[in-house]
Amino acid sequence: MSRRTFELASTADELERVRAHHTGSGRTAVVMTMGALHEGHATLIRTARTHVGDQGFVIVTVFVNPLQFGPGEDLDRYPRTLEADLKVAEQAGADVVFAPSVEEVYPGGEPQVRISAGPMGERLEGASRPGHFDGMLTVVAKLLHLTRPDVALYGQKDAQQLALIRRMVRDLNFGVEIVAVPTVREEDGLALSSRNRYLSPRERRTALALSRALFAGRDRHAAQEALRARAREVPCTPARAEALSALGESRAAADAAAVAKASPGAASAVRAAARLVLDEAARFDPPLELDYLALVDPSDFTEIDDDFTGEAILAVAARVGTTRLIDNIPLTFGTLGASS
């Protein structure tokens, strides 16, 4: 097989010319980024290549969208590293990087007609960053039209963004498949992010509390699901509890009894386990300043109750120094072993 040609396009016309000269006959995939590409982005691009195959066409967009930055946010200092980004994209399997200017994307200035994220866009990240999701969906809609993909891939780390894009695609009948790619992490658990480069060594140590809190919640969830399964398999009768106690398992028996009597979800225990880690990190130097910790239904990002069963997302956002970070993990309530 001949070596794949890799190109840079700065305008919609250039992108069309690259597409016209592409010799493949497969599907088109797009990975949308704001640049400063890292291994998380590379994973998205490699996954895109897998989805469309060698004959497919993989587009990576690099565009720092001013509409999704609010007053006082880091638009001006957001890293622009196009030369390095091109190398990452090419090595990961992209055919073209589409890196338009602001004037190319918004030729008449800020658009008067925009996508509204609706009620879901006002929760969590939307509450902390008013207007952010309207700006994000507006540029995603434009880029979907400009790139015309069959499939678009987004990282699970931006879970609320992913949910809103899926909702927009469904509600407005975009003919594109949306694929979620799991969060890529450093060896110590920190989720990869372009903003991690802002962290000093001490700030980075504090930032690890985000993933540790999520993992603590995940572990508590797994323990509860295991106890719940045990309680279902063997009814916790007084006689059984007495027998277990004689074997030195009184605590396990009590736990199983408590779980058996508890509501199916017990989401509050998961939140509490994560909160303990975050509260401790608030006393670090430098401290972690919590924005939110939430355990939500991914269909609308509302908080779940203790009787909830099904898919959920445990999400956290916090500031360390001047850097704001987000992270999340998916959990499944009511089905043993389904959490991740």
Side-chain angles (χ1 to χ4, degrees):
M1 186 178 67
S2 61
R3 186 178 184 275
R4 179 177 292 111
T5 300
F6 174 79
E7 298 190 52
L8 168 67
S10 300
T11 68
D13 288 343
E14 290 176 2
L15 179 61
E16 283 306 303
R17 283 196 293 272
V18 174
R19 187 197 299 269
H21 288 108
H22 178 64
T23 58
S25 57
R27 300 198 304 164
T28 295
V30 67
V31 173
M32 298 182 186
T33 82
M34 293 205 300
L37 302 189
H38 50 63
E39 180 56 27
H41 298 111
T43 299
L44 285 166
I45 299 166
R46 288 192 293 267
T47 306
R49 174 55 63 194
T50 299
H51 269 267
V52 301
D54 288 335
Q55 294 300 307
F57 189 56
V58 176
I59 305 169
V60 175
T61 68
V62 173
F63 180 65
V64 181
N65 177 35
L67 295 191
Q68 64 195 72
F69 287 81
E73 294 190 332
D74 56 358
L75 173 61
D76 291 337
R77 73 166 183 151
Y78 197 87
R80 274 84 165 172
T81 58
L82 182 58
E83 185 174 345
D85 294 343
L86 294 175
K87 294 178 182 178
V88 173
E90 181 177 15
Q91 290 172 1
D95 292 295
V96 59
V97 165
F98 178 45
S101 65
V102 173
E103 292 73 25
E104 178 71 17
V105 176
Y106 304 119
E110 289 196 8
Q112 295 185 34
V113 177
R114 307 189 187 195
I115 301 292
S116 170
M120 196 195 322
E122 298 173 357
R123 299 173 186 135
L124 299 188
E125 284 298 290
S128 298
R129 307 175 66 188
H132 166 72
F133 285 125
D134 292 354
M136 179 276 296
L137 289 178
T138 297
V139 80
V140 167
K142 293 201 69 162
L143 290 172
L144 286 175
H145 288 313
L146 288 166
T147 59
R148 304 197 314 277
D150 299 292
V151 57
L153 297 93
Y154 300 91
Q156 179 65 37
K157 187 177 83 71
D158 296 299
Q160 193 172 4
Q161 168 180 285
L162 172 63
L164 282 163
I165 291 171
R166 280 182 163 156
R167 187 64 187 247
M168 177 183 73
V169 165
R170 183 172 72 247
D171 287 357
L172 301 184
N173 297 100
F174 281 70
V176 59
E177 176 189 1
I178 303 299
V179 172
V181 178
T183 300
V184 179
R185 300 183 180 277
E186 301 278 7
E187 290 185 4
D188 57 12
L190 186 67
L192 287 179
S193 170
S194 300
R195 290 185 169 92
N196 289 352
R197 67 187 66 197
Y198 300 153
L199 298 169
S200 70
R202 291 172 62 194
E203 288 172 341
R204 196 182 186 286
R205 285 193 292 271
T206 295
L208 290 174
L210 273 76
S211 55
R212 286 205 307 267
L214 296 179
F215 299 157
R218 178 193 61 191
D219 292 347
R220 185 70 184 108
H221 166 267
Q224 286 191 260
E225 291 294 316
L227 285 170
R228 192 170 296 114
R230 179 180 180 183
R232 283 195 301 266
E233 291 170 1
V234 183
C236 189
T237 62
R240 176 173 176 267
E242 183 176 348
L244 287 170
S245 180
L247 293 172
E249 297 186 26
S250 57
R251 182 179 179 85
D255 283 348
V259 171
K261 295 177 181 178
S263 54
S268 57
V270 173
R271 292 187 185 95
R275 172 73 69 167
L276 281 175
V277 177
L278 297 170
D279 287 346
E280 180 184 10
R283 298 188 291 272
F284 289 174
D285 181 20
L288 181 139
E289 300 174 18
L290 183 65
D291 188 344
Y292 62 75
L293 171 69
L295 186 54
V296 298
D297 183 335
S299 68
D300 59 8
F301 271 69
T302 57
E303 292 279 356
I304 66 171
D305 298 323
D306 275 345
D307 60 354
F308 180 87
T309 57
E311 301 295 323
I313 291 175
L314 181 62
V316 62
R319 190 174 297 276
V320 181
T322 60
T323 303
R324 187 175 183 275
L325 300 170
I326 63 172
D327 200 355
N328 71 84
I329 54 171
L331 299 171
T332 302
F333 285 80
T335 304
L336 182 64
S339 62
S340 61

